């Protein structure tokens, strides 16, 4: 006997991950993605962009797909249907720089760290607390070895502390000679 069978496309979902960039645009070229419900050993890619409701750091934000489409990986995209998509936005790492005069301590206060970089656009962030140096001696671009007591606060122009982190950034200070 003979017969026919209809094979429909398999529904897949994906979760994208990106660092906070201050936009609600979900451009597939700016994040990494993980697909669920793919056939074992197969992979796909994405192309295009969509939108999310909030630009701020959060997990599981639903993406309005817009022009996002599946593209061939080692599997044919035509065998799959993109059912839904979410985006996790992670905090953006900040870099700190500054200087202070030698005082025989390893403590650097937030007021010593006058340059905060890697902010989005014109956003600002408020810095408070203290960082710790590995030693108290004079030197250029000395790394802060402990930033756990430095705190980020909301700034201006939309700068929300929750969208930023010191983890993964570079924090350095120049310790200059003390005049006598």
């Amino acid at each position: 006997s003979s017969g026919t069978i209809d094979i429909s496309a398999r529904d897949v979902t994906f979760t994208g991950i990106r660092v906070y960039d201050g936009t609600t645009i979900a451009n597939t070229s700016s994040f990494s993605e993980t697909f669920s419900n793919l056939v074992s050993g197969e992979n796909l890619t994405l192309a295009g962009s969509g939108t999310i409701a909030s630009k701020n750091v959060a997990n599981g934000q639903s993406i309005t797909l817009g022009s996002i489409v599946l593209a061939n990986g080692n599997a044919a995209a035509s065998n799959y249907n993109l059912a839904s998509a979410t985006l996790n936005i992670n905090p953006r790492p900040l870099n700190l720089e500054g200087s202070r005069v030698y005082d025989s301590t390893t403590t650097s206060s937030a007021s010593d760290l006058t340059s905060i970089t890697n902010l989005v656009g014109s956003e600002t962030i408020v810095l408070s607390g203290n960082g710790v140096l590995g030693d108290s001696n004079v030197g250029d671009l000395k790394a802060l070895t402990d930033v756990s007591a430095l705190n980020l606060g909301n700034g201006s122009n939309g700068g929300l502390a929750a969208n930023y982190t010191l983890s993964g950034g570079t924090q350095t200070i120049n310790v200059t000679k003390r005049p006598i």
Side-chain angles (χ1 to χ4, degrees):
S1 68
S2 65
T4 61
I5 186 168
D6 291 330
I7 299 174
S8 58
R10 184 180 186 122
D11 283 345
V12 293
T13 61
F14 83 88
T15 299
I17 300 171
R18 76 156 192 228
V19 171
Y20 171 74
D21 68 4
T23 71
T24 58
I25 298 169
N27 190 332
T28 60
S29 66
S30 69
F31 56 79
S32 61
E33 69 272 340
T34 303
F35 287 95
S36 62
N37 203 32
L38 286 175
V39 170
S40 180
E42 294 190 345
N43 64 46
L44 298 171
T45 61
L46 295 171
S49 64
T51 58
I52 51 177
S54 172
K55 67 179 183 174
N56 296 316
V57 169
N59 286 334
Q61 292 195 57
S62 181
I63 298 175
T64 301
L65 295 176
S67 67
I68 295 177
V69 294
L70 293 172
N72 294 340
N74 69 355
S78 60
N79 289 333
Y80 293 93
N81 175 54
L82 184 55
S84 67
T86 57
L87 183 63
N88 297 339
I89 301 178
N90 294 331
R92 185 178 195 85
L94 292 178
N95 302 315
L96 305 175
E97 285 187 35
S99 65
R100 72 167 176 82
V101 174
Y102 170 78
D103 66 3
S104 80
T105 72
T106 58
T107 302
S108 290
S109 72
S111 62
D112 298 331
L113 299 161
T114 55
S115 175
I116 303 173
T117 59
N118 203 29
L119 292 159
V120 170
S122 62
E123 292 182 5
T124 66
I125 289 293
V126 175
L127 185 66
S128 63
N130 296 306
V132 178
L133 291 163
D135 66 65
S136 64
N137 298 321
V138 169
D140 290 336
L141 299 175
K142 295 177 68 106
L144 293 174
T145 57
D146 184 358
V147 294
S148 62
L150 284 170
N151 302 303
L152 300 176
N154 294 342
S156 61
N157 301 321
L160 297 178
N163 289 333
Y164 294 97
T165 183
L166 295 177
S167 178
T170 303
Q171 297 84 32
T172 60
I173 193 160
N174 295 328
V175 178
T176 61
K177 293 181 179 182
R178 185 173 195 85
I180 54 172

